[in-house]
Amino acid sequence: MTSLPSPRVRPAEGVGAAGVSADRVAPGTPLVDPHGRQHRDLRVSLTDRCNLRCTYCMPAEGVPWLPREEMLSTDELLRVVQVAVDAGITEVRLTGGEPLLRPDAVDVVAGIAAMTGEDGPVEVSLTTNALRMPQLARPLADAGLARVNISLDTLRPERFAAMTRRDRFADTMAGIAAADEAGLHPIKINAVLQREVNDDEPLELLRWAVERGYELRFIEQMPLDGGRSWQRSEMITGAEILAMLRDGVELSEVPGRGAAPAERFLVDGGPATVGVIASVTQPFCGSCDRLRLTADGQLRSCLFARGETDLRTPLREGRDERDLTALIHACLAGKQPGHGIDDPGFLQPPRPMSAIGG
């Protein structure tokens, strides 16, 4: 398979992306974009590969994988993360594809967990489908992983097989249990509802999560699927999800959302909560504090960005930390105020979610 096309902003010799000179960024300069948003959260994709084929993410045959030689090595990845931490990043979320398909995922966690940022040790979390968690939950916890987000869209094994095109429901449930036993708390469960597929399950999923002490998050389906079949008219909105939940439980909004993507609600007065991430219909761009690094070393200022800043090439050319820091700031300098999904001219990014990292 060949690699997916992606627009990239490549640095010229001695100059950062967007023409920003390395010597123009003073050490310790906060990662603030032109709209005043300070960035502390870095999402790092460990691989674009996945062992499921979720219908809302990619076609049955999958998508072309990145050539291995284009992916960052462990040393390269850790160097980029260290530069980002030195520049002000305090939280790192490891994503994919399925990040636990990367053979050295535990080593990556250990390397990042050993870093110290301006607020102390870096917090390392992971988004996973949990299929490899039975084997890796304890080693990951011992390496310094703080918590996990686990994808689970249904509690029905036959529906799980249809939605993921893999009969792995029992493995996912075992992985969730392993993460719980390893103390990777809070365990957040991510669910995507699809019309006439699993839209009869929100209350069932919520009650299941509350009984086990997990934090459930419903996520609006976003236009990032590899098959490019997303249609806004078919998407179940955050407002619809809340209406479904209110048919069975009382919800009261939790104040103080900050930069968190989920709007959280107490369930029947608490302490249990449920969250809704309405990226499409109620975007939270105004408080966004996230940058994204793809598995092949491209920095993105937004999940929906159509441009990328190439860090892999200058990294392999031996450029120093000052140059890489300037490139991070240059990427931020081009960040838009919002993702523009509501704009008539919105275009889906060339890369699907599996290649960007969630």
Side-chain angles (χ1 to χ4, degrees):
M1 290 183 174
T2 57
S3 61
L4 290 167
S6 58
R8 295 174 184 174
V9 181
R10 291 192 174 275
E13 186 63 31
V15 179
V20 176
S21 298
D23 59 6
R24 292 183 183 177
V25 181
T29 301
L31 292 173
V32 178
D33 68 15
H35 312 285
R37 297 168 294 196
Q38 185 165 1
H39 291 65
R40 297 179 177 276
D41 187 328
L42 179 66
R43 307 292 171 96
V44 178
S45 176
L46 297 189
T47 179
D48 63 330
R49 289 159 172 76
C50 191
N51 41 12
L52 297 179
R53 296 292 182 271
C54 296
T55 55
Y56 56 79
C57 186
M58 64 177 71
E61 65 274 15
V63 294
W65 306 133
L66 291 166
R68 292 193 181 276
E69 65 272 13
E70 292 190 7
M71 297 174 66
L72 295 181
S73 68
T74 301
D75 288 344
E76 290 171 338
L77 186 153
L78 290 177
R79 186 180 173 210
V80 171
V81 174
Q82 182 66 71
V83 169
V85 168
D86 291 342
I89 291 297
T90 59
E91 300 179 25
V92 176
R93 169 85 61 83
L94 302 177
T95 69
E98 170 46 49
L100 296 184
L101 288 181
R102 183 165 176 134
D104 60 355
V106 174
D107 295 333
V108 171
V109 168
I112 298 174
M115 299 178 187
T116 301
E118 59 184 43
D119 294 335
V122 174
E123 181 183 87
V124 188
S125 59
L126 177 82
T127 297
T128 176
N129 60 28
L131 294 185
R132 300 202 67 219
M133 269 291 170
Q135 299 81 30
L136 293 178
R138 179 55 61 186
L140 287 166
D142 291 344
L145 186 68
R147 56 186 176 82
V148 290
N149 286 35
I150 298 175
S151 300
L152 180 68
D153 302 318
T154 178
L155 295 172
R156 304 177 190 181
E158 69 286 349
R159 185 174 284 176
F160 181 97
M163 293 184 71
T164 65
R165 301 188 180 99
R166 299 290 187 272
D167 188 11
R168 305 294 301 273
F169 178 78
D171 297 323
T172 293
M173 299 304 280
I176 294 171
D180 196 356
E181 184 176 350
L184 295 172
H185 301 140
I187 292 176
K188 297 181 180 179
I189 303 295
N190 294 340
V192 175
L193 295 182
Q194 291 182 277
R195 207 172 297 283
E196 298 184 2
V197 175
N198 64 335
D199 57 356
D200 56 345
E201 285 193 73
L203 281 169
E204 186 178 349
L205 280 163
L206 178 57
R207 290 179 176 124
W208 172 85
V210 168
E211 287 174 2
R212 290 158 179 79
Y214 306 150
E215 297 185 17
L216 182 62
R217 300 288 186 270
F218 289 102
I219 305 174
E220 286 183 343
Q221 185 182 352
M222 293 179 280
L224 291 167
D225 57 303
R228 296 183 173 267
S229 60
W230 181 88
Q231 294 183 37
R232 188 185 182 97
S233 60
E234 293 300 312
M235 179 192 70
I236 297 178
T237 68
E240 289 179 278
I241 294 168
L242 289 174
M244 294 174 185
L245 295 175
R246 287 189 168 112
D247 277 344
V249 298
E250 179 185 337
L251 300 179
S252 52
E253 186 175 351
V254 177
R257 177 176 177 178
E263 184 179 13
R264 298 169 61 235
F265 299 85
L266 293 172
V267 178
D268 290 331
T273 65
V274 63
V276 176
I277 301 177
S279 303
V280 178
T281 61
Q282 295 182 334
F284 39 89
C285 303
S287 60
C288 179
D289 67 345
R290 288 169 291 286
L291 287 167
R292 299 174 187 274
L293 180 70
T294 66
D296 58 345
Q298 310 304 309
L299 190 67
R300 302 173 63 90
S301 62
C302 175
L303 185 60
F304 298 95
R306 293 187 58 79
E308 300 175 334
T309 299
D310 181 16
L311 299 185
R312 186 188 66 216
T313 299
L315 187 67
R316 292 181 178 178
E317 290 174 347
R319 306 282 279 276
D320 62 18
E321 179 172 348
R322 188 180 67 173
D323 288 342
L324 295 173
T325 302
L327 287 170
I328 295 174
H329 279 274
C331 178
L332 266 181
K335 185 163 183 171
Q336 300 299 306
H339 53 49
I341 291 178
D342 286 330
D343 191 298
F346 173 78
L347 296 174
Q348 182 173 333
R351 296 207 204 208
M353 174 74 87
S354 59
I356 295 172

